[in-house]
Amino acid sequence: MMFLKQAVPVLSFCSGSIKHGQLTVDVLRLDLLHPEISGNKWYKLKHNILEAQSRGINTVLSFGGAWSNHIHALAAAGKHFGFKTIGVIRGERPKQPSAMLQDVERWGMQLVYVSRYDYRKRYEPEYHQELLEQLSLQNNEVWIVPEGGSGELGVKGCEEILESGSIDPADYDQIWLAAGTGATAAGVIRSVNNRSHVKVVPVLKGAAFMEADINQYLDASLTNWSLDLEGHCGGYGKTTPELLQFITETEEESGLPLDQVYTGKMLLAFKKAVEAGQVAEGCRVLLIHTGGLQGRRGLKI
Ligand SMILES: *Cc1c(COP(=O)(O)O)cnc(C)c1O
């Protein structure tokens, strides 16, 4: 597993274009962690896999859509470490399965397609029981990971993100990252322990609820963080011409690849904050690249 903290002086909106002095911007490249077990999803899976192992369980089941980074990482981890994986996928099996689904099938994941109606029951223990019966499996033979790898075990793994990248939060004034469920943010906020301000960019529209979702994992003393509710670009999985152009330009200028669901929105939100003069002169910023680049294959421009 490889890590890289990358200084990106070539992000043009940070160098030279800043009126009030320079910013220091580093990117923690979790996308470079492993070619297949990408980004924050590895951290969310790690303690789930260890828990399953300690219970002698050799099958891990989880939930996701046709482009899920989480399902992709789970299948890759199963192949890498030698455990069985089951992906419960939202919607009918597409005539032309996505590149994500093709990967995970090739890696040996068993796929179960469920209707959108049934998929809504993914957090209900009764539904889990139903699924296991359908698969002729016993309760004690399968470890079930919540959608996206969220939950306390996922958060616990995300506490290790900065340390494993040899990052001292005290070296930064702000740490930015994208959020879907907020579990990754919760783990990072815990490990930062108020030593830096964590800026969380939800990729969903109207995500004020995420404040409570994140707080449920936090001690009341952990207050040095905030949500940027304007960075969603229209909602989960939605894109705007501005976002797509920004992703293309950033890659051309700096060589930093971004995905359109998470990291592109995070970086665009940061750019806008800089341009609006909301990032103070001399600010030292760490951007966490949470991975997810496999999902770029689903981008139709
Ligand atoms: C899943 C994902 C996120 C969001 O993680 P949460 O813990 O659900 O907030 C962010 N970035 C990428 C690339 C992801 O795949």
Side-chain angles (χ1 to χ4, degrees):
M1 297 266 175
M2 181 176 92
F3 271 101
L4 198 62
K5 186 178 80 176
Q6 199 179 56
V8 271
V10 282
L11 287 177
S12 62
F13 59 88
C14 300
S15 60
S17 64
I18 306 293
K19 271 202 188 113
H20 304 287
Q22 286 283 352
L23 302 175
T24 306
V25 182
D26 290 337
V27 182
L28 178 60
R29 297 282 306 270
L30 301 185
D31 58 313
L32 298 175
L33 187 64
H34 184 274
E36 286 152 0
I37 316 175
S38 172
N40 64 331
K41 296 303 186 286
W42 161 246
Y43 293 92
K44 295 168 93 176
L45 282 171
K46 179 180 167 187
H47 291 282
N48 278 290
I49 295 168
L50 291 172
E51 185 69 29
Q53 210 173 34
S54 76
R55 293 170 185 241
I57 296 175
N58 196 39
T59 303
V60 180
L61 176 150
S62 196
F63 303 85
W67 284 105
S68 167
N69 293 330
H70 164 64
I71 290 293
H72 199 252
L74 173 61
K79 185 188 70 151
H80 187 83
F81 296 106
F83 59 87
K84 195 173 169 317
T85 57
I86 301 173
V88 178
I89 309 298
R90 183 186 60 232
E92 279 172 33
R93 183 185 168 84
K95 283 198 190 74
Q96 178 62 43
S98 66
M100 192 295 276
L101 291 169
Q102 290 177 34
D103 281 348
V104 303
E105 279 200 309
R106 200 172 62 246
W107 296 337
M109 179 179 254
Q110 180 180 354
L111 294 179
V112 182
Y113 292 90
V114 303
S115 70
R116 280 163 196 274
Y117 175 81
D118 280 348
Y119 193 80
R120 273 185 228 133
K121 299 185 280 188
R122 64 193 175 280
Y123 295 109
E124 297 171 15
E126 300 78 21
Y127 181 58
H128 296 169
Q129 212 48 50
E130 229 177 87
L131 274 171
L132 295 187
E133 275 165 32
Q134 194 185 319
L135 292 161
S136 306
L137 287 163
Q138 300 295 319
N139 229 334
N140 58 4
E141 291 176 312
V142 185
W143 184 254
I144 298 181
V145 180
E147 181 185 54
S150 56
E152 176 55 34
L153 288 175
V155 173
K156 182 176 167 188
C158 293
E159 286 183 60
E160 298 167 24
I161 288 177
L162 295 180
E163 197 187 334
S164 65
S166 300
I167 302 282
D168 180 350
D171 288 341
Y172 295 95
D173 302 302
Q174 295 184 1
I175 298 175
W176 286 66
L177 80 164
T181 64
T184 306
V188 168
I189 292 165
R190 278 189 192 169
S191 67
V192 167
N193 196 15
N194 291 334
R195 287 172 292 172
S196 176
H197 187 84
V198 182
K199 271 278 182 193
V200 182
V201 182
V203 299
L204 300 82
K205 197 170 171 175
F209 61 84
M210 208 180 277
E211 174 125 12
D213 286 0
I214 292 176
N215 268 326
Q216 70 175 318
Y217 295 112
L218 303 181
D219 205 292
S221 66
L222 296 175
T223 53
N224 200 359
W225 65 279
S226 57
L227 295 177
D228 178 343
L229 293 172
E230 307 303 321
H232 56 75
C233 300
Y236 185 78
K238 302 256 165 53
T239 60
T240 59
E242 181 191 27
L243 173 69
L244 299 180
Q245 192 186 344
F246 173 70
I247 289 172
T248 309
E249 281 175 6
T250 304
E251 180 152 9
E252 279 170 9
E253 281 175 5
S254 67
L256 184 70
L258 299 168
D259 80 300
Q260 72 281 11
V261 182
Y262 294 103
T263 54
K265 292 183 182 181
M266 180 277 292
L267 196 59
L268 181 58
F270 172 65
K271 174 181 189 247
K272 288 184 172 178
V274 170
E275 288 172 348
Q278 293 161 356
V279 184
E281 180 175 356
C283 200
R284 300 161 304 165
V285 180
L286 179 72
L287 308 169
I288 302 181
H289 191 309
T290 37
L293 296 173
Q294 69 86 21
R296 251 165 54 135
R297 298 173 298 176
L299 186 57
K300 295 177 201 79
I301 308 183

